[in-house]
Amino acid sequence: MHTLFLMRHAQPASHAAGGDRERPLTDLGRRQAREVGMRLGLRNVGHALVSDALRTRQTWDCLQLDCPVEFMRALYYCGTDTMRQRIGEIDDDVDNLLVIAHAPTIPGLAAQLAAMSGAEEKVGCWYPPATLTEVEVAGTWADLTDEYFDKVRLVGVQRPM
């Protein structure tokens, strides 16, 4: 059994001189990420895939998790197909995987996986920064396709306070 954690980055500034990719976290965003980090710290995350945008890298730093991390340009506003492909490339020895990226991809993938498990109402359409979705995968990471409805179960969605 594998566990996938999908996280939308914490609250960023509304703009930055360097453009969207360079938007930093706000003080609220740093607090949000530290709170999520306390929960995830108990879950033995074995690997993380993180968009290379500043706000996602800062979210990762605030989580303070001790595991290998890959910063990936491909996760910056990619589609759900690209994200599934990247997840599918993870070694099956990794039991718990964290992906930190952006809307609309993170909420979109969370909704797709929730629908696969018949729990789409749990994700809904409100997916603010620092939201974390937990999904159990009963097969390999590569099994995260629409063909394997019986291998995915939405465990829960945690939105920031």
Side-chain angles (χ1 to χ4, degrees):
M1 181 74 66
H2 293 101
T3 302
L4 173 64
F5 297 99
L6 297 172
M7 182 179 181
R8 183 175 175 200
H9 57 76
Q11 183 66 50
S14 59
H15 63 280
D20 181 70
R21 187 185 227 51
E22 297 303 316
R23 290 192 298 148
L25 293 183
T26 62
D27 289 341
L28 170 62
R30 286 183 184 82
R31 283 193 306 275
Q32 289 173 330
R34 284 192 297 271
E35 288 172 13
V36 172
M38 286 188 281
R39 290 192 303 264
L40 284 175
L42 304 173
R43 300 303 303 276
N44 297 318
V45 173
H47 196 87
L49 301 177
V50 179
S51 160
D52 71 347
L54 179 60
R55 60 190 174 275
T56 48
R57 289 183 285 126
Q58 288 179 336
T59 297
W60 166 254
D61 289 342
C62 290
L63 293 177
Q64 297 184 333
L65 298 177
D66 184 24
C67 71
V69 60
E70 292 179 63
F71 296 103
M72 305 179 86
R73 186 173 195 91
L75 296 182
Y76 179 74
Y77 289 125
C78 66
T80 58
D81 289 343
T82 299
M83 188 166 287
R84 282 180 189 232
Q85 178 184 0
R86 295 298 182 242
I87 293 168
E89 295 168 356
I90 296 299
D91 190 299
D92 284 317
D93 289 341
V94 173
D95 292 326
N96 300 318
L97 175 66
L98 169 65
V99 180
I100 305 172
H102 311 269
T105 306
I106 289 286
L109 183 54
Q112 287 175 5
L113 297 175
M116 287 171 67
S117 66
E120 54 269 29
E121 72 283 349
K122 288 186 179 179
V123 173
C125 60
W126 186 57
Y127 207 98
T131 296
L132 181 71
T133 297
E134 181 178 347
V135 177
E136 286 182 351
V137 181
T140 68
W141 290 117
D143 285 340
L144 283 180
T145 67
D146 290 335
E147 300 169 28
Y148 296 101
F149 290 98
D150 60 330
K151 295 194 179 205
V152 175
R153 184 179 80 82
L154 179 74
V155 175
V157 179
Q158 298 175 356
R159 292 174 177 87
M161 304 276 228

